[in-house]
PDB file of all heavy atoms in Angstrom:
ATOM      1  N   VAL A  84     -84.433-330.231-163.414  1.00  0.00           N
ATOM      2  CA  VAL A  84     -85.378-329.198-163.822  1.00  0.00           C
ATOM      3  C   VAL A  84     -85.337-328.014-162.863  1.00  0.00           C
ATOM      4  O   VAL A  84     -85.332-326.848-163.285  1.00  0.00           O
ATOM      5  CB  VAL A  84     -86.819-329.784-163.864  1.00  0.00           C
ATOM      6  CG1 VAL A  84     -87.841-328.666-164.054  1.00  0.00           C
ATOM      7  CG2 VAL A  84     -86.931-330.803-165.006  1.00  0.00           C
ATOM      8  N   ILE A  85     -85.290-328.327-161.556  1.00  0.00           N
ATOM      9  CA  ILE A  85     -85.294-327.257-160.555  1.00  0.00           C
ATOM     10  C   ILE A  85     -83.994-326.461-160.588  1.00  0.00           C
ATOM     11  O   ILE A  85     -83.985-325.231-160.570  1.00  0.00           O
ATOM     12  CB  ILE A  85     -85.537-327.862-159.153  1.00  0.00           C
ATOM     13  CG1 ILE A  85     -86.954-328.441-159.083  1.00  0.00           C
ATOM     14  CG2 ILE A  85     -85.357-326.812-158.058  1.00  0.00           C
ATOM     15  CD1 ILE A  85     -87.233-329.208-157.797  1.00  0.00           C
ATOM     16  N   THR A  86     -82.876-327.179-160.612  1.00  0.00           N
ATOM     17  CA  THR A  86     -81.572-326.481-160.526  1.00  0.00           C
ATOM     18  C   THR A  86     -81.274-325.663-161.769  1.00  0.00           C
ATOM     19  O   THR A  86     -80.547-324.664-161.698  1.00  0.00           O
ATOM     20  CB  THR A  86     -80.446-327.504-160.311  1.00  0.00           C
ATOM     21  OG1 THR A  86     -80.505-328.499-161.339  1.00  0.00           O
ATOM     22  CG2 THR A  86     -80.563-328.168-158.952  1.00  0.00           C
ATOM     23  N   HIS A  87     -81.810-326.075-162.919  1.00  0.00           N
ATOM     24  CA  HIS A  87     -81.537-325.339-164.147  1.00  0.00           C
ATOM     25  C   HIS A  87     -82.628-324.316-164.458  1.00  0.00           C
ATOM     26  O   HIS A  87     -82.573-323.647-165.481  1.00  0.00           O
ATOM     27  CB  HIS A  87     -81.385-326.301-165.324  1.00  0.00           C
ATOM     28  CG  HIS A  87     -80.123-327.101-165.282  1.00  0.00           C
ATOM     29  ND1 HIS A  87     -79.928-328.157-164.434  1.00  0.00           N
ATOM     30  CD2 HIS A  87     -78.953-326.966-165.989  1.00  0.00           C
ATOM     31  CE1 HIS A  87     -78.729-328.679-164.629  1.00  0.00           C
ATOM     32  NE2 HIS A  87     -78.108-327.974-165.553  1.00  0.00           N
ATOM     33  N   HIS A  88     -83.606-324.219-163.541  1.00  0.00           N
ATOM     34  CA  HIS A  88     -84.654-323.203-163.668  1.00  0.00           C
ATOM     35  C   HIS A  88     -85.319-323.235-165.057  1.00  0.00           C
ATOM     36  O   HIS A  88     -85.447-322.204-165.738  1.00  0.00           O
ATOM     37  CB  HIS A  88     -84.086-321.806-163.419  1.00  0.00           C
ATOM     38  CG  HIS A  88     -83.459-321.673-162.078  1.00  0.00           C
ATOM     39  ND1 HIS A  88     -84.179-321.613-160.894  1.00  0.00           N
ATOM     40  CD2 HIS A  88     -82.143-321.630-161.711  1.00  0.00           C
ATOM     41  CE1 HIS A  88     -83.362-321.509-159.882  1.00  0.00           C
ATOM     42  NE2 HIS A  88     -82.107-321.526-160.328  1.00  0.00           N
ATOM     43  N   ARG A  89     -85.677-324.400-165.458  1.00  0.00           N
ATOM     44  CA  ARG A  89     -86.335-324.494-166.766  1.00  0.00           C
ATOM     45  C   ARG A  89     -87.674-325.242-166.606  1.00  0.00           C
ATOM     46  O   ARG A  89     -87.898-325.941-165.613  1.00  0.00           O
ATOM     47  CB  ARG A  89     -85.462-325.230-167.783  1.00  0.00           C
ATOM     48  CG  ARG A  89     -85.266-326.716-167.501  1.00  0.00           C
ATOM     49  CD  ARG A  89     -84.451-327.376-168.611  1.00  0.00           C
ATOM     50  NE  ARG A  89     -84.267-328.804-168.386  1.00  0.00           N
ATOM     51  CZ  ARG A  89     -85.160-329.732-168.708  1.00  0.00           C
ATOM     52  NH1 ARG A  89     -86.311-329.380-169.270  1.00  0.00           N
ATOM     53  NH2 ARG A  89     -84.911-331.024-168.493  1.00  0.00           N
ATOM     54  N   SER A  90     -88.528-325.099-167.546  1.00  0.00           N
ATOM     55  CA  SER A  90     -89.809-325.787-167.546  1.00  0.00           C
ATOM     56  C   SER A  90     -89.714-327.088-168.354  1.00  0.00           C
ATOM     57  O   SER A  90     -88.912-327.192-169.285  1.00  0.00           O
ATOM     58  CB  SER A  90     -90.914-324.904-168.145  1.00  0.00           C
ATOM     59  OG  SER A  90     -91.037-323.719-167.401  1.00  0.00           O
ATOM     60  N   MET A  91     -90.533-328.071-167.966  1.00  0.00           N
ATOM     61  CA  MET A  91     -90.555-329.328-168.712  1.00  0.00           C
ATOM     62  C   MET A  91     -91.203-329.098-170.061  1.00  0.00           C
ATOM     63  O   MET A  91     -92.217-328.390-170.170  1.00  0.00           O
ATOM     64  CB  MET A  91     -91.326-330.394-167.933  1.00  0.00           C
ATOM     65  CG  MET A  91     -90.595-330.941-166.714  1.00  0.00           C
ATOM     66  SD  MET A  91     -91.437-332.351-165.959  1.00  0.00           S
ATOM     67  CE  MET A  91     -92.863-331.541-165.267  1.00  0.00           C
ATOM     68  N   ASN A  92     -90.608-329.668-171.102  1.00  0.00           N
ATOM     69  CA  ASN A  92     -91.196-329.525-172.420  1.00  0.00           C
ATOM     70  C   ASN A  92     -92.335-330.526-172.605  1.00  0.00           C
ATOM     71  O   ASN A  92     -92.598-331.353-171.732  1.00  0.00           O
ATOM     72  CB  ASN A  92     -90.131-329.705-173.525  1.00  0.00           C
ATOM     73  CG  ASN A  92     -89.432-331.064-173.416  1.00  0.00           C
ATOM     74  OD1 ASN A  92     -90.075-332.083-173.181  1.00  0.00           O
ATOM     75  ND2 ASN A  92     -88.115-331.049-173.598  1.00  0.00           N
ATOM     76  N   ALA A  93     -92.999-330.445-173.740  1.00  0.00           N
ATOM     77  CA  ALA A  93     -94.190-331.272-173.985  1.00  0.00           C
ATOM     78  C   ALA A  93     -93.860-332.769-173.942  1.00  0.00           C
ATOM     79  O   ALA A  93     -94.632-333.567-173.396  1.00  0.00           O
ATOM     80  CB  ALA A  93     -94.811-330.894-175.328  1.00  0.00           C
ATOM     81  N   MET A  94     -92.739-333.151-174.538  1.00  0.00           N
ATOM     82  CA  MET A  94     -92.360-334.569-174.541  1.00  0.00           C
ATOM     83  C   MET A  94     -92.141-335.084-173.135  1.00  0.00           C
ATOM     84  O   MET A  94     -92.543-336.219-172.801  1.00  0.00           O
ATOM     85  CB  MET A  94     -91.097-334.757-175.387  1.00  0.00           C
ATOM     86  CG  MET A  94     -90.642-336.220-175.471  1.00  0.00           C
ATOM     87  SD  MET A  94     -91.906-337.303-176.172  1.00  0.00           S
ATOM     88  CE  MET A  94     -91.958-336.682-177.851  1.00  0.00           C
ATOM     89  N   GLU A  95     -91.494-334.298-172.279  1.00  0.00           N
ATOM     90  CA  GLU A  95     -91.262-334.720-170.891  1.00  0.00           C
ATOM     91  C   GLU A  95     -92.579-334.899-170.142  1.00  0.00           C
ATOM     92  O   GLU A  95     -92.729-335.837-169.345  1.00  0.00           O
ATOM     93  CB  GLU A  95     -90.350-333.699-170.194  1.00  0.00           C
ATOM     94  CG  GLU A  95     -88.921-333.714-170.684  1.00  0.00           C
ATOM     95  CD  GLU A  95     -88.105-332.584-170.069  1.00  0.00           C
ATOM     96  OE1 GLU A  95     -88.698-331.538-169.727  1.00  0.00           O
ATOM     97  OE2 GLU A  95     -86.888-332.774-169.904  1.00  0.00           O
ATOM     98  N   ILE A  96     -93.539-334.026-170.371  1.00  0.00           N
ATOM     99  CA  ILE A  96     -94.840-334.137-169.718  1.00  0.00           C
ATOM    100  C   ILE A  96     -95.575-335.404-170.168  1.00  0.00           C
ATOM    101  O   ILE A  96     -96.174-336.126-169.372  1.00  0.00           O
ATOM    102  CB  ILE A  96     -95.696-332.878-170.020  1.00  0.00           C
ATOM    103  CG1 ILE A  96     -95.060-331.646-169.380  1.00  0.00           C
ATOM    104  CG2 ILE A  96     -97.123-333.076-169.514  1.00  0.00           C
ATOM    105  CD1 ILE A  96     -95.750-330.350-169.716  1.00  0.00           C
ATOM    106  N   VAL A  97     -95.494-335.679-171.491  1.00  0.00           N
ATOM    107  CA  VAL A  97     -96.132-336.898-172.027  1.00  0.00           C
ATOM    108  C   VAL A  97     -95.506-338.147-171.411  1.00  0.00           C
ATOM    109  O   VAL A  97     -96.199-339.081-171.012  1.00  0.00           O
ATOM    110  CB  VAL A  97     -96.005-336.941-173.563  1.00  0.00           C
ATOM    111  CG1 VAL A  97     -96.437-338.299-174.096  1.00  0.00           C
ATOM    112  CG2 VAL A  97     -96.851-335.851-174.191  1.00  0.00           C
ATOM    113  N   VAL A  98     -94.184-338.156-171.309  1.00  0.00           N
ATOM    114  CA  VAL A  98     -93.483-339.289-170.707  1.00  0.00           C
ATOM    115  C   VAL A  98     -93.880-339.463-169.254  1.00  0.00           C
ATOM    116  O   VAL A  98     -94.105-340.588-168.769  1.00  0.00           O
ATOM    117  CB  VAL A  98     -91.951-339.110-170.836  1.00  0.00           C
ATOM    118  CG1 VAL A  98     -91.225-340.169-169.996  1.00  0.00           C
ATOM    119  CG2 VAL A  98     -91.532-339.199-172.303  1.00  0.00           C
ATOM    120  N   LEU A  99     -93.998-338.361-168.522  1.00  0.00           N
ATOM    121  CA  LEU A  99     -94.373-338.402-167.120  1.00  0.00           C
ATOM    122  C   LEU A  99     -95.772-339.005-166.944  1.00  0.00           C
ATOM    123  O   LEU A  99     -95.991-339.896-166.127  1.00  0.00           O
ATOM    124  CB  LEU A  99     -94.329-337.000-166.512  1.00  0.00           C
ATOM    125  CG  LEU A  99     -94.739-336.879-165.047  1.00  0.00           C
ATOM    126  CD1 LEU A  99     -93.803-337.693-164.166  1.00  0.00           C
ATOM    127  CD2 LEU A  99     -94.751-335.430-164.617  1.00  0.00           C
ATOM    128  N   ILE A 100     -96.730-338.500-167.743  1.00  0.00           N
ATOM    129  CA  ILE A 100     -98.112-338.997-167.638  1.00  0.00           C
ATOM    130  C   ILE A 100     -98.181-340.472-168.042  1.00  0.00           C
ATOM    131  O   ILE A 100     -98.837-341.272-167.380  1.00  0.00           O
ATOM    132  CB  ILE A 100     -99.042-338.161-168.523  1.00  0.00           C
ATOM    133  CG1 ILE A 100     -99.117-336.725-167.988  1.00  0.00           C
ATOM    134  CG2 ILE A 100    -100.432-338.763-168.573  1.00  0.00           C
ATOM    135  CD1 ILE A 100     -99.913-335.780-168.864  1.00  0.00           C
ATOM    136  N   ALA A 101     -97.474-340.834-169.117  1.00  0.00           N
ATOM    137  CA  ALA A 101     -97.469-342.232-169.563  1.00  0.00           C
ATOM    138  C   ALA A 101     -96.870-343.139-168.485  1.00  0.00           C
ATOM    139  O   ALA A 101     -97.338-344.259-168.256  1.00  0.00           O
ATOM    140  CB  ALA A 101     -96.696-342.368-170.868  1.00  0.00           C
ATOM    141  N   GLY A 102     -95.815-342.633-167.836  1.00  0.00           N
ATOM    142  CA  GLY A 102     -95.195-343.419-166.757  1.00  0.00           C
ATOM    143  C   GLY A 102     -96.132-343.632-165.595  1.00  0.00           C
ATOM    144  O   GLY A 102     -96.187-344.725-165.001  1.00  0.00           O
ATOM    145  N   GLN A 103     -96.898-342.602-165.248  1.00  0.00           N
ATOM    146  CA  GLN A 103     -97.878-342.733-164.160  1.00  0.00           C
ATOM    147  C   GLN A 103     -98.926-343.786-164.500  1.00  0.00           C
ATOM    148  O   GLN A 103     -99.267-344.644-163.679  1.00  0.00           O
ATOM    149  CB  GLN A 103     -98.554-341.386-163.924  1.00  0.00           C
ATOM    150  CG  GLN A 103     -97.623-340.331-163.338  1.00  0.00           C
ATOM    151  CD  GLN A 103     -98.299-338.954-163.271  1.00  0.00           C
ATOM    152  OE1 GLN A 103     -99.163-338.646-164.082  1.00  0.00           O
ATOM    153  NE2 GLN A 103     -97.900-338.145-162.318  1.00  0.00           N
ATOM    154  N   ILE A 104     -99.463-343.728-165.722  1.00  0.00           N
ATOM    155  CA  ILE A 104    -100.484-344.693-166.139  1.00  0.00           C
ATOM    156  C   ILE A 104     -99.931-346.112-166.164  1.00  0.00           C
ATOM    157  O   ILE A 104    -100.563-347.065-165.699  1.00  0.00           O
ATOM    158  CB  ILE A 104    -101.047-344.305-167.513  1.00  0.00           C
ATOM    159  CG1 ILE A 104    -101.770-342.953-167.417  1.00  0.00           C
ATOM    160  CG2 ILE A 104    -101.984-345.385-168.043  1.00  0.00           C
ATOM    161  CD1 ILE A 104    -102.224-342.426-168.775  1.00  0.00           C
ATOM    162  N   PHE A 105     -98.712-346.273-166.684  1.00  0.00           N
ATOM    163  CA  PHE A 105     -98.115-347.601-166.802  1.00  0.00           C
ATOM    164  C   PHE A 105     -97.855-348.236-165.426  1.00  0.00           C
ATOM    165  O   PHE A 105     -98.179-349.394-165.204  1.00  0.00           O
ATOM    166  CB  PHE A 105     -96.790-347.497-167.583  1.00  0.00           C
ATOM    167  CG  PHE A 105     -96.068-348.818-167.714  1.00  0.00           C
ATOM    168  CD1 PHE A 105     -96.502-349.749-168.615  1.00  0.00           C
ATOM    169  CD2 PHE A 105     -94.965-349.086-166.916  1.00  0.00           C
ATOM    170  CE1 PHE A 105     -95.822-350.971-168.740  1.00  0.00           C
ATOM    171  CE2 PHE A 105     -94.295-350.291-167.024  1.00  0.00           C
ATOM    172  CZ  PHE A 105     -94.721-351.234-167.946  1.00  0.00           C
ATOM    173  N   ILE A 106     -97.296-347.439-164.513  1.00  0.00           N
ATOM    174  CA  ILE A 106     -97.020-347.952-163.182  1.00  0.00           C
ATOM    175  C   ILE A 106     -98.304-348.308-162.455  1.00  0.00           C
ATOM    176  O   ILE A 106     -98.407-349.357-161.803  1.00  0.00           O
ATOM    177  CB  ILE A 106     -96.183-346.941-162.376  1.00  0.00           C
ATOM    178  CG1 ILE A 106     -94.772-346.855-162.930  1.00  0.00           C
ATOM    179  CG2 ILE A 106     -96.143-347.324-160.888  1.00  0.00           C
ATOM    180  CD1 ILE A 106     -93.892-345.844-162.256  1.00  0.00           C
ATOM    181  N   THR A 107     -99.315-347.464-162.572  1.00  0.00           N
ATOM    182  CA  THR A 107    -100.601-347.745-161.940  1.00  0.00           C
ATOM    183  C   THR A 107    -101.198-349.033-162.488  1.00  0.00           C
ATOM    184  O   THR A 107    -101.680-349.887-161.733  1.00  0.00           O
ATOM    185  CB  THR A 107    -101.590-346.593-162.182  1.00  0.00           C
ATOM    186  OG1 THR A 107    -101.056-345.395-161.643  1.00  0.00           O
ATOM    187  CG2 THR A 107    -102.931-346.878-161.524  1.00  0.00           C
ATOM    188  N   TYR A 108    -101.164-349.206-163.794  1.00  0.00           N
ATOM    189  CA  TYR A 108    -101.715-350.404-164.431  1.00  0.00           C
ATOM    190  C   TYR A 108    -100.973-351.670-163.956  1.00  0.00           C
ATOM    191  O   TYR A 108    -101.612-352.667-163.612  1.00  0.00           O
ATOM    192  CB  TYR A 108    -101.609-350.270-165.945  1.00  0.00           C
ATOM    193  CG  TYR A 108    -101.963-351.534-166.698  1.00  0.00           C
ATOM    194  CD1 TYR A 108    -103.294-351.902-166.874  1.00  0.00           C
ATOM    195  CD2 TYR A 108    -100.960-352.347-167.220  1.00  0.00           C
ATOM    196  CE1 TYR A 108    -103.618-353.057-167.563  1.00  0.00           C
ATOM    197  CE2 TYR A 108    -101.282-353.519-167.905  1.00  0.00           C
ATOM    198  CZ  TYR A 108    -102.610-353.857-168.079  1.00  0.00           C
ATOM    199  OH  TYR A 108    -102.920-355.019-168.735  1.00  0.00           O
ATOM    200  N   LYS A 109     -99.643-351.616-163.915  1.00  0.00           N
ATOM    201  CA  LYS A 109     -98.860-352.783-163.518  1.00  0.00           C
ATOM    202  C   LYS A 109     -99.138-353.179-162.074  1.00  0.00           C
ATOM    203  O   LYS A 109     -99.308-354.365-161.764  1.00  0.00           O
ATOM    204  CB  LYS A 109     -97.378-352.498-163.717  1.00  0.00           C
ATOM    205  CG  LYS A 109     -96.906-352.580-165.149  1.00  0.00           C
ATOM    206  CD  LYS A 109     -97.084-353.991-165.703  1.00  0.00           C
ATOM    207  CE  LYS A 109     -96.555-354.127-167.112  1.00  0.00           C
ATOM    208  NZ  LYS A 109     -96.749-355.492-167.657  1.00  0.00           N
ATOM    209  N   PHE A 110     -99.203-352.217-161.175  1.00  0.00           N
ATOM    210  CA  PHE A 110     -99.484-352.531-159.768  1.00  0.00           C
ATOM    211  C   PHE A 110    -100.907-353.064-159.611  1.00  0.00           C
ATOM    212  O   PHE A 110    -101.145-353.989-158.828  1.00  0.00           O
ATOM    213  CB  PHE A 110     -99.289-351.272-158.903  1.00  0.00           C
ATOM    214  CG  PHE A 110     -97.898-351.114-158.406  1.00  0.00           C
ATOM    215  CD1 PHE A 110     -97.047-350.152-158.962  1.00  0.00           C
ATOM    216  CD2 PHE A 110     -97.403-351.896-157.355  1.00  0.00           C
ATOM    217  CE1 PHE A 110     -95.764-350.009-158.498  1.00  0.00           C
ATOM    218  CE2 PHE A 110     -96.116-351.747-156.907  1.00  0.00           C
ATOM    219  CZ  PHE A 110     -95.289-350.804-157.458  1.00  0.00           C
ATOM    220  N   HIS A 111    -101.842-352.480-160.352  1.00  0.00           N
ATOM    221  CA  HIS A 111    -103.216-352.925-160.276  1.00  0.00           C
ATOM    222  C   HIS A 111    -103.370-354.372-160.755  1.00  0.00           C
ATOM    223  O   HIS A 111    -104.036-355.192-160.109  1.00  0.00           O
ATOM    224  CB  HIS A 111    -104.107-351.993-161.112  1.00  0.00           C
ATOM    225  CG  HIS A 111    -105.573-352.238-160.957  1.00  0.00           C
ATOM    226  ND1 HIS A 111    -106.194-352.232-159.733  1.00  0.00           N
ATOM    227  CD2 HIS A 111    -106.539-352.491-161.883  1.00  0.00           C
ATOM    228  CE1 HIS A 111    -107.477-352.460-159.897  1.00  0.00           C
ATOM    229  NE2 HIS A 111    -107.723-352.629-161.194  1.00  0.00           N
ATOM    230  N   MET A 112    -102.757-354.728-161.870  1.00  0.00           N
ATOM    231  CA  MET A 112    -102.853-356.068-162.421  1.00  0.00           C
ATOM    232  C   MET A 112    -102.141-357.074-161.514  1.00  0.00           C
ATOM    233  O   MET A 112    -102.614-358.197-161.317  1.00  0.00           O
ATOM    234  CB  MET A 112    -102.242-356.119-163.827  1.00  0.00           C
ATOM    235  CG  MET A 112    -103.016-355.304-164.851  1.00  0.00           C
ATOM    236  SD  MET A 112    -104.768-355.775-164.944  1.00  0.00           S
ATOM    237  CE  MET A 112    -104.633-357.490-165.456  1.00  0.00           C
ATOM    238  N   TYR A 113    -101.004-356.672-160.938  1.00  0.00           N
ATOM    239  CA  TYR A 113    -100.295-357.558-160.019  1.00  0.00           C
ATOM    240  C   TYR A 113    -101.147-357.859-158.791  1.00  0.00           C
ATOM    241  O   TYR A 113    -101.259-359.015-158.354  1.00  0.00           O
ATOM    242  CB  TYR A 113     -98.975-356.892-159.585  1.00  0.00           C
ATOM    243  CG  TYR A 113     -98.293-357.624-158.449  1.00  0.00           C
ATOM    244  CD1 TYR A 113     -97.533-358.774-158.682  1.00  0.00           C
ATOM    245  CD2 TYR A 113     -98.387-357.152-157.133  1.00  0.00           C
ATOM    246  CE1 TYR A 113     -96.900-359.440-157.642  1.00  0.00           C
ATOM    247  CE2 TYR A 113     -97.768-357.820-156.097  1.00  0.00           C
ATOM    248  CZ  TYR A 113     -97.022-358.956-156.353  1.00  0.00           C
ATOM    249  OH  TYR A 113     -96.426-359.615-155.316  1.00  0.00           O
ATOM    250  N   TRP A 114    -101.793-356.837-158.250  1.00  0.00           N
ATOM    251  CA  TRP A 114    -102.639-357.016-157.063  1.00  0.00           C
ATOM    252  C   TRP A 114    -103.844-357.901-157.385  1.00  0.00           C
ATOM    253  O   TRP A 114    -104.171-358.809-156.608  1.00  0.00           O
ATOM    254  CB  TRP A 114    -103.101-355.644-156.578  1.00  0.00           C
ATOM    255  CG  TRP A 114    -104.017-355.700-155.413  1.00  0.00           C
ATOM    256  CD1 TRP A 114    -103.693-355.902-154.099  1.00  0.00           C
ATOM    257  CD2 TRP A 114    -105.456-355.557-155.436  1.00  0.00           C
ATOM    258  NE1 TRP A 114    -104.819-355.871-153.312  1.00  0.00           N
ATOM    259  CE2 TRP A 114    -105.906-355.660-154.098  1.00  0.00           C
ATOM    260  CE3 TRP A 114    -106.378-355.316-156.444  1.00  0.00           C
ATOM    261  CZ2 TRP A 114    -107.258-355.572-153.773  1.00  0.00           C
ATOM    262  CZ3 TRP A 114    -107.710-355.221-156.126  1.00  0.00           C
ATOM    263  CH2 TRP A 114    -108.134-355.338-154.788  1.00  0.00           C
ATOM    264  N   MET A 115    -104.470-357.674-158.543  1.00  0.00           N
ATOM    265  CA  MET A 115    -105.632-358.481-158.911  1.00  0.00           C
ATOM    266  C   MET A 115    -105.270-359.936-159.123  1.00  0.00           C
ATOM    267  O   MET A 115    -105.966-360.853-158.678  1.00  0.00           O
ATOM    268  CB  MET A 115    -106.315-357.900-160.163  1.00  0.00           C
ATOM    269  CG  MET A 115    -107.133-356.660-159.897  1.00  0.00           C
ATOM    270  SD  MET A 115    -108.245-356.262-161.272  1.00  0.00           S
ATOM    271  CE  MET A 115    -107.081-356.103-162.610  1.00  0.00           C
ATOM    272  N   ASP A 116    -104.193-360.192-159.841  1.00  0.00           N
ATOM    273  CA  ASP A 116    -103.757-361.582-160.081  1.00  0.00           C
ATOM    274  C   ASP A 116    -103.467-362.285-158.763  1.00  0.00           C
ATOM    275  O   ASP A 116    -103.840-363.463-158.578  1.00  0.00           O
ATOM    276  CB  ASP A 116    -102.499-361.600-160.956  1.00  0.00           C
ATOM    277  CG  ASP A 116    -102.791-361.210-162.407  1.00  0.00           C
ATOM    278  OD1 ASP A 116    -103.963-361.256-162.789  1.00  0.00           O
ATOM    279  OD2 ASP A 116    -101.845-360.861-163.126  1.00  0.00           O
ATOM    280  N   LYS A 117    -102.838-361.594-157.835  1.00  0.00           N
ATOM    281  CA  LYS A 117    -102.524-362.185-156.534  1.00  0.00           C
ATOM    282  C   LYS A 117    -103.791-362.516-155.768  1.00  0.00           C
ATOM    283  O   LYS A 117    -103.910-363.599-155.187  1.00  0.00           O
ATOM    284  CB  LYS A 117    -101.670-361.190-155.729  1.00  0.00           C
ATOM    285  CG  LYS A 117    -101.202-361.726-154.391  1.00  0.00           C
ATOM    286  CD  LYS A 117    -100.321-360.707-153.679  1.00  0.00           C
ATOM    287  CE  LYS A 117     -99.907-361.211-152.313  1.00  0.00           C
ATOM    288  NZ  LYS A 117     -99.066-360.203-151.599  1.00  0.00           N
ATOM    289  N   GLU A 118    -104.772-361.623-155.765  1.00  0.00           N
ATOM    290  CA  GLU A 118    -106.020-361.878-155.057  1.00  0.00           C
ATOM    291  C   GLU A 118    -106.829-362.977-155.697  1.00  0.00           C
ATOM    292  O   GLU A 118    -107.424-363.811-155.003  1.00  0.00           O
ATOM    293  CB  GLU A 118    -106.845-360.583-155.001  1.00  0.00           C
ATOM    294  CG  GLU A 118    -106.250-359.502-154.122  1.00  0.00           C
ATOM    295  CD  GLU A 118    -106.099-359.947-152.683  1.00  0.00           C
ATOM    296  OE1 GLU A 118    -107.076-360.462-152.106  1.00  0.00           O
ATOM    297  OE2 GLU A 118    -104.994-359.797-152.134  1.00  0.00           O
ATOM    298  N   LEU A 119    -106.859-363.027-157.016  1.00  0.00           N
ATOM    299  CA  LEU A 119    -107.616-364.066-157.713  1.00  0.00           C
ATOM    300  C   LEU A 119    -107.025-365.458-157.438  1.00  0.00           C
ATOM    301  O   LEU A 119    -107.757-366.429-157.255  1.00  0.00           O
ATOM    302  CB  LEU A 119    -107.641-363.802-159.212  1.00  0.00           C
ATOM    303  CG  LEU A 119    -108.530-362.652-159.667  1.00  0.00           C
ATOM    304  CD1 LEU A 119    -108.293-362.332-161.138  1.00  0.00           C
ATOM    305  CD2 LEU A 119    -110.005-362.959-159.424  1.00  0.00           C
TER     306      LEU A 119
END
Side-chain angles (χ1 to χ4, degrees):
V84 170
I85 294 173
T86 54
H87 288 76
H88 302 287
R89 69 176 181 84
S90 300
M91 288 188 290
N92 57 43
M94 181 59 67
E95 289 174 332
I96 294 175
V97 170
V98 170
L99 178 62
I100 295 175
Q103 292 173 331
I104 295 174
F105 178 77
I106 289 178
T107 301
Y108 172 78
K109 283 297 184 181
F110 271 105
H111 188 54
M112 294 305 298
Y113 170 79
W114 177 79
M115 284 195 302
D116 289 342
K117 184 178 178 181
E118 290 301 310
L119 287 171

